């Protein structure tokens, strides 16, 4: 209908682009994308997927949508002609931080792949007003502030659809908002986000504090603000029920409109439960089916056929177990159903460890999921094996046919085409554009591993991206890093099991070495990005120690020539897109068995970084694909770790006392230099934790980490061509980790859509 993008944008702005403000152009771009996205939506016949998740870490959408709609280049050129830059428009777009990390980002990648593969699949979640907090780092300490993203021109479109939801005996109205999800040369699906009109940003106090009891006004302000107290935990249940009740009503309504009579719900809908946050959808659907005259036994059967569950962690403290009293308060209408489900589960086995209600009257959400869905999957091969053989072995004995693995993946549109256009173009010149739709084609790059000219061009792109990152860090944080150094990056949530503290101990060791006159093979720039949960004291202490060490090193010109430590403030999707293409060494150093999969590991690999990692999560599958020469593996294996926990004889203090290198590195935390630059209470607490407890067994892996990282530095410094070959092989072998492959497997084994 318009002859060009320029004409369309002019019409939407109501004036020449040259004369429009950046914001007017941004708004026009948004409208243009929304109109074109709507054109790609398709009617659904057959089974449709509903991916229910408390988190969708979608990141900024403008560029991604332009790429997926195939109009990125034309739009960029048209803006450039009018003296506007697309990059400036991207700056105007606020980032929705509707997730914590990997789990939420995975959900966003899955939506992209569903639409790209032309599969009918919508997301269901919540429209948080501030999402996850904004992280501020000042004087070595993290503080939190709200991160608003709901501006006037925003991707989430308000609809007139509302559903009544009963919370603690009163009825609230859940309003549906929709975000169009475009596919790459594919269809448009929807991300359905629910919210209450009554939520009031005005109740925010200092930082991210607010009245936790005022549910109608606070319900969707933040993503899981804080579960360190009862009010915070209750709020979490309120949020979860709002999401699943409104979601279940939406699903039933859509299916009925397509002719479903509810007895055959499973022919119309597949519901994927993303971790246990949406698990209440099971009793809620049974309740709603009951209102339509379907008896309990049949409703259980229908729901079991319709729903499937994904487990994302084996960490006991992360597995939700809600006191029944909480549910009685918030969702009394579900309690009789949960009791019936518990009774039914108990008829299936004598083994009470699989019951839904435990001896302390707590509801085990994961247990309800496994009994009453038809599929339970882990997110990487090792993770699924651990679920089957140890964490969920009792369930595996009961339902072997339900268990399956779906190794995670990432969308290459965002994590290659969008974030690393130079690399993407280079690949296209070498092997053609097919890899954009069929990631397996990246393997064609294996033909270039002995091609010196090709290796040099790939290395030049990495060098360019490192300069870009250095520039960005300077503009954002005022730190100047040496772009000729080796860049190592550890970016992910701050958690002890991910072991940022192991990296910290290495850096301290490196500091000693340089002080003692042993220059490293290559200067190092070590970059961190990580948010700590607001109430997670030790995580905050680790951030403090890293920031303090960074200060100590920066103040010492002899050391800082060879070693720089940079902590990126407020790590989010936009930051990841800048950091990942510039990485040489990807730090994936969790305690083996604890990281279910990891997805950052895949993003770094795809962008030509070499992994330094433990045999954990998807690192195992990365190692299988690239071969031992193209990854640096170290540390105890998951079997060794699991055994240690079973025996329960790990003694941090013995390791601390028994190894002078370890002791010296740990003790440096409370040295005069550190205490002068940092805060005594925090540093002493971390020292005590590491030397006396070290629950995630950092110390036993310290020496192996040191050896492998030093080896990586030497290889990088002394054999640049060999290093470039490793990088290229990592890119070439990354195809398996496309979320298109993951989604195709979910569809083949679990969903059977369309
Ligand atoms: C949650 C919590 C909640 C409070 C206490 C500490 C704690 C620790 C971990 C978690 C994780 C919850 C589930 C989760 O986010 N899992 C992540 O899912 C990703 C996508 O499958 C996967 O790549 C990550 O390895 C996994 O940690």
């Amino acid at each position: 209908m318009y002859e060009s993008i320029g004409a369309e944008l002019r019409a939407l702005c109501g004036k020449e682009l040259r004369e429009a403000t950046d914001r007017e152009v941004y708004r026009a771009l948004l409208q243009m994308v929304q109109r074109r996205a709507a054109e790609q939506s398709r009617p659904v016949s057959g089974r449709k997927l509903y991916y229910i998740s408390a988190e969708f870490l979608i990141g900024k959408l403008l560029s991604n949508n332009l790429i997926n709609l195939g109009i990125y280049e034309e739009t960029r050129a048209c803006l450039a002609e009018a003296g506007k830059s697309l990059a400036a428009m991207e700056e105007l777009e606020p980032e929705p931080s509707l997730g914590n990390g990997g789990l939420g980002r995975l959900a966003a990648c899955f939506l992209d792949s569903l639409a790209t593969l032309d599969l009918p699949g919508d997301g269901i979640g919540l429209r948080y007003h501030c999402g996850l907090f904004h992280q501020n780092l000042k004087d070595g300490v993290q503080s939190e502030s709200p991160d608003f993203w709901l501006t006037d021109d925003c991707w989430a479109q308000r609809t007139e659809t509302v559903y009544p939801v009963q919370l603690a005996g009163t009825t609230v109205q859940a309003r549906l908002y929709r975000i169009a999800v475009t596919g790459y040369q594919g269809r448009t699906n929807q991300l359905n986000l629910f919210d209450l009109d009554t939520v009031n940003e005005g109740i925010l106090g200092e930082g991210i504090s607010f009245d936790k009891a005022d549910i109608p006004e606070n319900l969707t302000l933040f993503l899981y603000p804080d579960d360190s107290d009862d009010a915070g935990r209750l709020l979490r249940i309120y949020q979860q029920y709002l999401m699943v009740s409104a979601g279940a009503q939406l699903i039933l309504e859509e299916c009925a409109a397509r002719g479903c009579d509810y007895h055959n719900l499973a022919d119309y809908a597949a519901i994927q439960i993303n971790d246990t946050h949406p698990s209440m959808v099971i009793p809620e659907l049974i309740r709603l089916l009951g209102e339509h005259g379907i008896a309990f036994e049949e409703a259980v059967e229908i729901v079991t056929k319709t729903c499937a569950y994904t487990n994302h962690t084996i960490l006991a403290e992360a597995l939700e177990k809600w006191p029944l009293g909480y549910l009685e308060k918030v969702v009394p209408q579900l309690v009789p159903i949960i009791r019936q489900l518990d009774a039914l589960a108990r008829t299936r086995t004598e083994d009470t460890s699989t019951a839904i209600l435990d001896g302390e009257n707590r509801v085990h959400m994961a247990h309800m999921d496994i009994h009453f869905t038809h599929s339970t999957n882990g997110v990487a091969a090792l993770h699924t094996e651990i679920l089957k053989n140890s964490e969920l072995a009792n369930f595996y004995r009961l339902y072997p046919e339900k268990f399956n693995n779906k190794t995670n993946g990432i969308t290459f549109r965002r994590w290659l085409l969008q974030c690393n256009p130079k690399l993407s173009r280079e690949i296209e010149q070498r092997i053609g554009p097919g890899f954009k739709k069929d990631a397996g084609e990246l393997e064609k790059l294996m033909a270039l591993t002995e091609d010196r000219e090709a290796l040099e061009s790939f290395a030049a792109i990495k060098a360019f991206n490192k300069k870009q990152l250095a520039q960005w860090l300077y503009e954002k944080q005022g730190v100047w890093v040496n772009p000729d150094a080796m860049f190592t990056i550890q970016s992910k949530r701050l958690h002890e099991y991910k072991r940022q503290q192991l990296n910290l101990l290495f850096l301290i060791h490196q500091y000693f070495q340089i002080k003692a006159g042993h220059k490293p093979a290559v200067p190092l720039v070590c970059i961190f990005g990580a948010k700590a949960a607001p109430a997670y004291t030790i995580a905050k202490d680790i951030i403090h120690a890293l920031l303090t060490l960074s200060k100590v090193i920066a103040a010492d010109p002899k050391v800082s020539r060879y070693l720089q430590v940079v902590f990126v403030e407020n790590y989010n999707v936009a930051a990841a897109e800048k950091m990942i293409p510039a990485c040489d060494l990807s730090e994936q150093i969790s305690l083996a068995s604890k990281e279910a999969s990891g997805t950052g590991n895949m993003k770094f690999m795809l962008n030509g970084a070499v992994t330094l990692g433990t045999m954990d999560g998807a690192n195992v599958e990365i190692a299988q694909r690239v071969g031992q020469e193209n990854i640096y593996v170290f540390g105890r294996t998951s079997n060794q770790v699991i055994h240690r926990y079973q025996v329960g004889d790990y003694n941090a203090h013995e390791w601390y006392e028994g190894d002078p290198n370890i002791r010296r590195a740990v003790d440096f935390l409370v040295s005069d230099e550190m205490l002068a630059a940092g805060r005594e209470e925090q540093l002493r607490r971390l020292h005590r934790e590491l030397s006396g407890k070290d629950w995630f067994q950092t110390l036993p892996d310290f020496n192996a980490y040191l050896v492998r990282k030093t080896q990586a530095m030497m290889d990088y410094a002394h054999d640049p061509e060999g290093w470039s070959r490793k990088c290229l092989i990592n890119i070439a072998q990354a195809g398996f980790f496309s979320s298109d492959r993951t989604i195709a497997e979910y569809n083949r084994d679990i969903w059977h859509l369309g």
Side-chain angles (χ1 to χ4, degrees):
M1 69 190 227
Y2 293 100
E3 61 193 48
S4 68
I5 285 189
E8 184 167 356
L9 290 175
R10 257 196 312 280
L12 287 165
C13 280
K15 57 174 103 159
E16 287 299 321
L17 291 187
R18 198 171 283 287
E19 280 142 34
T21 63
D22 280 0
R23 188 152 292 281
E24 287 168 332
V25 176
Y26 173 69
R27 188 166 301 160
L29 284 166
L30 193 104
Q31 287 168 358
M32 175 180 78
V33 165
Q34 278 173 333
R35 191 187 61 72
R36 287 174 183 241
E39 282 173 2
Q40 306 300 322
S41 63
R42 313 227 204 292
V44 180
S45 62
R47 213 168 188 218
K48 171 174 171 179
L49 170 73
Y50 296 90
Y51 194 87
I52 310 195
S53 174
E55 307 187 17
F56 286 94
L57 192 43
I58 50 183
K60 298 188 184 198
L61 295 176
L62 178 60
S63 295
N64 186 249
N65 282 333
L66 292 171
I67 290 173
N68 282 357
L69 292 168
I71 53 173
Y72 183 87
E73 265 314 308
E74 202 185 326
T75 306
R76 197 192 53 73
C78 158
L79 293 184
E81 214 171 280
K84 304 272 173 204
S85 92
L86 190 49
M89 304 301 144
E90 280 172 348
E91 288 303 312
L92 288 179
E93 181 178 359
E95 171 166 334
S97 293
L98 312 185
N100 273 293
L103 172 133
R105 184 54 234 175
L106 184 77
C109 286
F110 280 5
L111 293 184
D112 182 279
S113 286
L114 281 158
T116 297
L117 297 179
D118 202 5
L119 293 168
D122 286 358
I124 293 179
L126 291 175
R127 191 184 81 131
Y128 306 103
H129 291 229
C130 312
L132 188 67
F133 61 87
H134 185 282
Q135 177 193 51
N136 313 291
L137 298 175
K138 205 165 161 267
D139 302 331
V141 175
Q142 166 181 303
S143 66
E144 301 86 23
S145 57
D147 199 357
F148 296 104
W149 67 285
L150 294 171
T151 49
D152 285 344
D153 24 44
C154 160
W155 295 101
Q157 290 187 315
R158 178 187 157 105
T159 74
E160 291 311 313
T161 305
V162 286
Y163 298 108
V165 174
Q166 266 195 33
L167 288 173
T170 53
T171 303
V172 298
Q173 301 294 330
R175 180 177 298 280
L176 173 64
Y177 291 78
R178 305 192 112 174
I179 298 180
V181 178
T182 56
Y184 181 70
Q185 298 170 2
R187 65 192 282 143
T188 293
N189 289 325
Q190 297 295 331
L191 172 53
N192 300 296
L193 299 179
F194 289 100
D195 197 1
L196 302 182
D197 292 353
T198 50
V199 168
N200 177 8
E201 292 161 14
I203 67 168
L204 279 171
E206 177 90 350
I208 55 168
S209 67
F210 58 88
D211 177 359
K212 284 185 191 155
D214 189 350
I215 299 299
E217 299 208 9
N218 72 22
L219 191 50
T220 53
L221 280 177
F222 290 100
L223 166 72
Y224 308 156
D226 173 13
D227 48 17
S228 60
D229 60 18
D230 282 343
R233 286 189 288 270
L234 278 170
L235 177 54
R236 208 166 144 140
I237 302 177
Y238 280 107
Q239 288 190 333
Q240 294 183 350
Y241 187 66
L242 178 77
M243 170 172 78
V244 302
S245 178
Q249 293 177 67
L250 171 76
I251 294 169
L252 292 181
E253 191 174 278
E254 283 194 356
C255 291
R258 293 198 287 125
C260 169
D261 67 5
Y262 300 141
H263 295 278
N264 54 2
L265 183 66
D267 297 334
Y268 288 80
I271 297 176
Q272 192 68 32
I273 299 176
N274 194 31
D275 218 86
T276 52
H277 321 135
S279 299
M280 279 188 283
V281 75
I282 292 172
E284 176 64 2
L285 271 173
I286 294 172
R287 189 184 73 81
L288 291 169
L289 291 173
E291 286 185 353
H292 287 96
I294 297 178
F296 178 75
E297 290 72 23
E298 194 199 334
V300 169
E301 213 176 289
I302 295 170
V303 168
T304 306
K305 274 199 283 186
T306 307
C307 297
Y309 158 64
T310 304
N311 174 287
H312 292 268
T313 184
I314 64 158
L315 280 177
E317 65 270 34
L319 292 177
E320 290 182 308
K321 299 177 266 296
W322 294 124
L324 195 63
Y326 284 15
L327 299 184
E328 271 161 351
K329 177 167 176 17
V330 181
V331 286
Q333 63 275 35
L334 293 190
V335 171
I337 298 173
I338 291 171
R339 286 191 189 280
Q340 270 178 294
L341 291 174
D342 178 58
L344 180 56
R346 285 173 193 272
T347 64
R348 295 185 183 174
T349 168
E350 311 252 277
D351 179 358
T352 52
S353 73
T354 66
I356 295 174
L357 279 167
D358 68 12
E360 294 163 49
N361 245 351
R362 290 176 310 179
V363 183
H364 289 238
M365 305 311 268
H367 294 189
M368 187 165 70
D369 291 319
I370 305 170
H371 283 295
F372 300 110
T373 67
H374 66 280
S375 163
T376 291
N377 75 280
V379 290
L382 173 70
H383 171 59
T384 303
E385 286 311 304
I386 294 174
L387 291 180
K388 293 200 293 195
N389 301 327
S390 72
E391 287 312 301
L392 299 177
N394 295 346
F395 285 95
Y396 182 54
R397 265 192 291 281
L398 199 54
Y399 305 115
E401 72 290 348
K402 290 193 186 189
F403 282 75
N404 63 98
N405 176 57
K406 296 289 167 279
T407 298
N408 283 167
I410 57 173
T411 168
F412 284 25
R413 269 72 63 185
R414 184 178 290 266
W415 297 111
L416 178 58
L417 309 196
Q418 181 181 320
C419 77
N420 201 342
K422 268 197 190 300
L423 177 60
S424 179
R425 269 197 297 275
E426 180 73 26
I427 296 173
E428 184 164 350
Q429 273 165 20
R430 303 273 173 186
I431 62 169
F435 70 97
K436 298 180 190 177
K437 264 261 167 166
D438 175 4
E441 287 200 13
L442 284 178
E443 254 193 281
K444 291 184 183 165
L445 291 171
M446 290 303 282
L448 300 174
T449 54
E450 299 307 319
D451 181 335
R452 179 167 288 177
E453 177 270 330
L455 293 175
E456 280 171 6
S457 351
F458 283 99
I461 290 168
K462 180 68 73 181
F464 175 85
N465 289 337
K466 287 165 69 175
K467 286 208 179 73
Q468 296 281 105
L469 178 61
Q471 183 67 33
W472 181 78
L473 285 171
Y474 181 68
E475 285 161 16
K476 187 174 179 296
Q477 300 190 183
V479 286
W480 187 248
V481 299
N482 171 10
D484 299 322
M486 183 182 194
F487 283 19
T488 82
I489 305 188
Q490 186 171 15
S491 55
K492 47 185 81 251
R493 276 306 284 262
L494 204 313
H495 199 290
E496 286 163 281
Y497 86 80
K498 295 178 186 283
R499 299 198 299 186
Q500 281 91 351
Q501 69 274 29
L502 179 57
N503 201 338
L504 167 72
L505 293 180
F506 167 85
L507 293 169
I508 293 173
H509 179 86
Q510 199 64 33
Y511 170 83
F512 289 142
Q513 291 289 101
I514 299 170
K515 282 274 223 206
H518 308 297
K519 301 192 177 97
V522 56
L524 268 190
V525 170
C526 300
I527 303 174
F528 292 84
K531 291 182 184 179
Y536 189 172
T537 307
I538 292 295
K540 287 190 158 177
D541 291 346
I542 294 172
I543 292 182
H544 178 67
L546 283 165
L547 290 167
T548 306
L549 179 67
S550 164
K551 212 156 94 180
V552 169
I553 291 173
D556 187 332
K558 272 214 264 349
V559 180
S560 59
R561 280 177 61 194
Y562 301 103
L563 184 62
Q564 289 178 283
V565 179
V566 183
F567 205 110
V568 175
E569 194 171 34
N570 196 43
Y571 180 66
N572 60 6
V573 176
E577 289 171 15
K578 305 271 191 235
M579 290 157 69
I580 290 171
C583 177
D584 295 308
L585 192 66
S586 153
E587 305 259 6
Q588 307 300 335
I589 61 177
S590 53
L591 175 64
S593 81
K594 297 295 179 191
E595 189 69 274
S597 161
T599 44
N601 46 4
M602 303 168 186
K603 294 165 197 164
F604 283 106
M605 172 197 198
L606 175 61
N607 283 275
V610 181
T611 302
L612 169 60
T614 48
M615 277 298 95
D616 200 13
N619 297 351
V620 176
E621 288 157 87
I622 292 178
Q624 266 166 13
R625 286 186 159 73
V626 299
Q628 288 303 319
E629 323 75 63
N630 301 302
I631 184 169
Y632 295 87
V633 168
F634 73 95
R636 306 281 152 120
T637 64
S638 60
N639 281 336
Q640 290 170 323
V641 171
I642 290 169
H643 180 73
R644 253 304 110 284
Y645 278 112
Q646 273 162 359
V647 179
D649 68 349
Y650 174 59
N651 185 332
H653 204 70
E654 275 172 19
W655 282 87
Y656 165 79
E657 293 284 356
D659 184 324
N661 266 341
I662 291 178
R663 186 173 180 150
R664 199 168 57 135
V666 174
D667 283 348
F668 186 71
L669 289 172
V670 290
S671 63
D672 293 345
E673 293 96 311
M674 288 290 280
L675 291 175
R679 299 183 178 209
E680 180 161 0
E681 188 190 342
Q682 275 91 333
L683 293 166
R684 289 211 183 278
R685 189 163 49 210
L686 183 58
H687 181 269
R688 265 200 309 280
E689 189 74 24
L690 279 176
S691 60
K693 184 171 169 207
D694 187 29
W695 181 245
F696 292 101
Q697 304 176 20
T698 313
L699 307 185
D701 278 350
F702 176 76
N703 281 307
Y705 179 58
L706 191 65
V707 167
R708 291 307 274 159
K709 195 154 166 175
T710 308
Q711 184 65 50
M713 288 162 67
M714 291 202 304
D715 293 349
Y716 178 92
H718 302 313
D719 181 12
E721 187 180 313
W723 185 269
S724 297
R725 186 173 299 113
K726 292 183 205 295
C727 297
L728 184 65
I729 292 173
N730 270 274
I731 302 170
Q733 296 299 329
F736 176 77
F737 300 104
S738 162
S739 47
D740 296 349
R741 186 267 316 151
T742 314
I743 287 297
E745 288 181 7
Y746 272 94
N747 190 38
R748 181 193 66 201
D749 300 341
I750 306 173
W751 301 331
H752 315 293
L753 304 176

